[in-house]
Amino acid sequence: MPDLKAEDIKETVETQSKEEADKYVALGWLLIDNYKMNDKTFYMVAWTKSEAPVKP
């Protein structure tokens, strides 16, 4: 997980799709966490830039 402060995060998105998480990362989001629950993997990405978040 990147070294971030809570106040640095402007928005977060959680997805079960690695491909979707990769699309966010390609647009400038940071992958900040992934975890497993009930045999499913979840990916959490965060927007930390000052401008409005870019979404796929």
Side-chain angles (χ1 to χ4, degrees):
M1 181 171 157
D3 185 27
L4 294 174
K5 297 176 187 167
E7 58 267 18
D8 294 337
I9 298 173
K10 311 296 189 260
E11 186 174 336
T12 60
V13 174
E14 181 180 72
T15 180
Q16 292 182 33
S17 167
K18 174 76 166 106
E19 292 77 23
E20 185 176 5
D22 289 343
K23 287 178 184 177
Y24 277 96
V25 170
L27 292 172
W29 293 67
L30 297 176
L31 180 64
I32 60 170
D33 197 13
N34 65 55
Y35 61 92
K36 289 189 180 251
M37 184 185 311
N38 298 330
D39 297 329
K40 293 182 182 178
T41 302
F42 295 84
Y43 303 90
M44 179 74 68
V45 294
W47 185 258
T48 59
K49 298 179 182 180
S50 59
E51 61 269 7
V54 180
K55 296 185 180 179

